[in-house]
Every structure is written in C-alpha cells, then in structure tokens.
Amino acid sequence: VKRNPVLINNLHNKYLSDKSFMLSLIELYDIAFYFATDELKQDRQFVLDCMKNNGLCYTYMDEKFKTDIEIAK
C-alpha cells in the first residue's frame, strides 16, 4: 500500500480502523484519511495527529474539526 496508494480502497476494515497503521499511511498520502473508518475520523486526537503528520488531510475531515482552533493551526 505504501508503494501504491490506489490499494488503500481495498484494505480490510481491520487496517482502516488501526490508528497507528492509518497515521503512517496518512503521513505519506493525505487521501488515506478519506478511507479511515468513521470512528477514527470522529476521534479528535486522531484528527489532531493526522494534521501534525500531513496537513493536507484537512480537505477530508469533518467540518466540526475544521473550525477547531487547535486542529486548524
């Protein structure tokens, strides 16, 4: 997957819900945030960590986090 981000769409939910796996993937490809489970995408700490790793994932995050000062900075 790290060599071919197109494969992200085919990953099992087990991987898409794994915080450390997804954070490492998002560090390389911001689009990976889009494929993370809803549970992860609603986890404020996960979103904050994603922004620290790759600010481009801002595009894919929920509107409630886009107005969060700590996340948006």
Side-chain angles (χ1 to χ4, degrees), residues 28-42:
L28 298 172
Y29 308 108
D30 57 300
I31 188 75
F33 186 89
Y34 176 82
F35 294 101
T37 60
D38 289 340
E39 181 180 342
L40 281 182
K41 290 191 279 189
Q42 296 302 312

Side-chain angles (χ1 to χ4, degrees), residues 58 61-72:
Y58 182 85
M61 69 179 58
D62 192 285
E63 290 297 320
K64 73 178 180 182
F65 292 121
K66 289 182 177 182
T67 58
D68 185 312
I69 301 296
E70 189 176 2
I71 290 173

Side-chain angles (χ1 to χ4, degrees), residues 2 18-29 53:
K2 289 185 178 184
D18 184 295
K19 282 185 183 184
S20 61
F21 178 80
M22 290 306 292
L23 282 171
S24 66
L25 206 52
I26 290 165
E27 190 172 351
L28 298 172
Y29 308 108
N53 288 343

Side-chain angles (χ1 to χ4, degrees), residues 1 3-11:
V1 174
R3 292 186 184 162
N4 189 353
V6 175
L7 298 175
I8 297 170
N9 191 36
N10 298 324
L11 287 173

